[in-house]
Amino acid sequence: MDLTFTDDQLLFHSSIKAFLIEQVTPSWVRAGWQTETGRDPKMWQQLAELGVVGMTVPEKFGGLGMTELDFVLIAEECGYVALPEPLVNTVMVAAPLVAEIGGELAERWLRPLAAGEVQLAVALENNLLVEDAHMADLLLVQEADKWFALTPEQVELRFNESVDPSRRLYAVASKEQVAPVLEGRRALMLAQMAVDRGALGSAAQALGLGRAMVDLAVHYSADRQQFGKPIGSFQAVKHMLADVAVALEYAKAPIYRAAYSVAHHLSDCSRAVSHAKLAACEAANLAAKNSIQVHGAMGYTWDVDLHLFMKKAWALANSWGETSFHTARIADYLLSDTAALGAGTTFSDSNEE
């Protein structure tokens, strides 16, 4: 297993990172809160023109035909700027799901999706509130062992407030009986894969959010002075931020490992994803906690940008499987008789299946 990113992956990541940092500013994010949809069609079209929206769309449908491993670094940068647009869910979850269902559904929707002409949303039984359902031209809804493809006219949406003002969440209910586009064991398998991909996207974003919060805290601690010195020079402040930096660094490997497992359909995929999400969200929560402490009372106000990242991190921790769900998946493996534990099994063939 080689977890080293290629030059092409790093170059693409670098160009998209530069675009996001330049275009997705805190003031732009805040301005979106005041609009009816909370979304910017121009931004979505720009992302499509850069090829990001269609990264996981097969080439025969006008996409780049890339994998989750190619996108994971970009998902991290989406977290770093607190991007409100549904890019991660589209690339990680919706596009691969439609491609795997295939048939008429893929023929009808993947090409316009890659071009940025339509948006899709995915509703799962264990992810009851659907982000950006109000913008979706097609909703893929899972009910037990069935998948349904519903248009906006066929669903009823109920808005739910989120701790993160950038997130637009909706409960989705079907207005009419329609035939499923897929059912049976394969439908259940695709539902599991959608959970894993969504959780991987949340983990990558949480890593980026944690980085952003540390950077904000570092900049603030360099400007804020007490006793005639920047508070960043105080050892207690250094220790708090160093603790976060260590946690974020240790979360990287599980995320990249999980992305590799998802992209190559390894047998340990779900376990690797749960490990990544737990590690990344724990690190992001620590970043939020310690960054607030560095900011002091200012950290509790909307006057600083910390809230944009902190509240999105809190929200993502409960998306695509809560902490208890992912902890249970790890525990089930660790307590099983077949668990390959210990340093000697880290690179064993059993982890490559």
Side-chain angles (χ1 to χ4, degrees):
M1 179 185 300
D2 184 2
L3 296 182
T4 304
F5 289 100
T6 66
D7 290 341
D8 288 342
Q9 289 171 327
L10 293 174
L11 181 61
F12 193 28
H13 159 252
S14 179
S15 63
I16 301 302
K17 175 182 178 179
F19 170 81
L20 291 174
I21 290 176
E22 180 181 354
Q23 299 294 327
V24 185
T25 62
S27 59
W28 180 84
V29 173
R30 291 175 185 270
W33 299 347
Q34 311 304 320
T35 64
E36 182 179 353
T37 64
R39 299 294 174 260
D40 185 348
K42 292 182 179 178
M43 172 60 70
W44 190 252
Q45 192 57 45
Q46 285 180 292
L47 292 170
E49 290 171 0
L50 289 169
V52 190
V53 174
M55 279 187 69
T56 53
V57 173
E59 291 183 65
K60 67 178 181 179
F61 295 116
L64 298 182
M66 302 172 87
T67 70
E68 296 81 4
L69 185 59
D70 298 308
F71 182 72
V72 70
L73 290 176
I74 296 174
E76 184 180 334
E77 299 306 328
C78 290
Y80 187 79
V81 297
L83 178 70
E85 306 299 318
L87 179 64
V88 176
N89 288 343
T90 297
V91 178
M92 282 283 198
V93 184
L97 177 61
V98 174
E100 284 160 350
I101 292 175
E104 184 179 343
L105 192 72
E107 294 285 347
R108 166 67 180 84
W109 292 99
L110 285 182
R111 192 171 296 278
L113 177 66
E117 297 169 359
V118 300
Q119 294 189 27
L120 309 182
V122 177
L124 295 172
E125 285 189 327
N126 77 335
N127 210 54
L128 297 177
L129 297 179
V130 183
E131 191 171 359
D132 290 295
H134 66 306
M135 298 294 292
D137 298 283
L138 182 75
L139 290 103
L140 297 166
V141 181
Q142 177 221 356
E143 293 182 7
D145 63 344
K146 295 181 176 63
W147 278 101
F148 299 91
L150 304 174
T151 60
E153 297 77 19
Q154 295 173 312
V155 298
E156 179 181 348
L157 302 180
R158 186 178 71 253
F159 178 71
N160 285 258
E161 292 284 352
S162 171
V163 66
D164 173 16
S166 292
R167 302 184 84 217
R168 300 297 173 96
L169 300 176
Y170 294 84
V172 178
S174 176
K175 290 182 180 179
E176 56 187 81
Q177 291 287 338
V178 296
V181 293
L182 186 68
E183 57 185 320
R185 292 184 61 184
R186 179 165 167 75
L188 289 173
M189 181 188 71
L190 292 187
Q192 183 61 65
M193 293 172 67
V195 171
D196 289 340
R197 290 190 176 109
L200 174 61
S202 295
Q205 289 179 88
L207 182 61
L209 290 163
R211 286 174 39 219
M213 287 185 278
V214 169
D215 286 351
L216 287 172
V218 169
H219 292 155
Y220 182 82
S221 67
D223 294 336
R224 178 77 166 88
Q225 294 199 356
Q226 285 184 352
F227 310 112
K229 295 181 179 180
I231 63 172
S233 65
F234 300 155
Q235 196 167 24
V237 174
K238 291 180 181 179
H239 284 175
M240 283 195 296
L241 297 181
D243 287 343
V244 178
V246 170
L248 292 171
E249 190 64 29
Y250 273 93
K252 286 183 181 179
I255 291 173
Y256 303 156
R257 172 68 169 85
Y260 184 95
S261 295
V262 171
H264 292 82
H265 306 287
L266 301 187
S267 61
D268 70 341
C269 170
S270 294
R271 184 169 72 249
V273 167
S274 289
H275 179 196
K277 190 166 190 290
L278 290 170
C281 290
E282 182 178 348
N285 284 336
L286 181 64
K289 173 187 172 184
N290 288 6
S291 295
I292 282 184
Q293 287 187 285
V294 170
H295 280 78
M298 286 293 293
Y300 292 91
T301 72
W302 284 104
D303 294 331
V304 296
D305 294 330
L306 180 62
H307 277 260
L308 275 67
F309 307 91
M310 175 181 66
K311 293 189 174 179
K312 186 173 288 293
W314 290 347
L316 288 178
N318 293 315
S319 298
W320 303 102
E322 296 179 345
T323 299
S324 58
F325 170 80
H326 292 286
T327 301
R329 290 213 297 192
I330 296 296
D332 287 344
Y333 171 73
L334 293 177
L335 298 176
S336 69
D337 295 333
T338 58
L341 305 178
T345 65
T346 300
F347 300 104
S348 65
D349 293 339
S350 63
N351 288 321
E352 296 286 345
E353 294 176 4

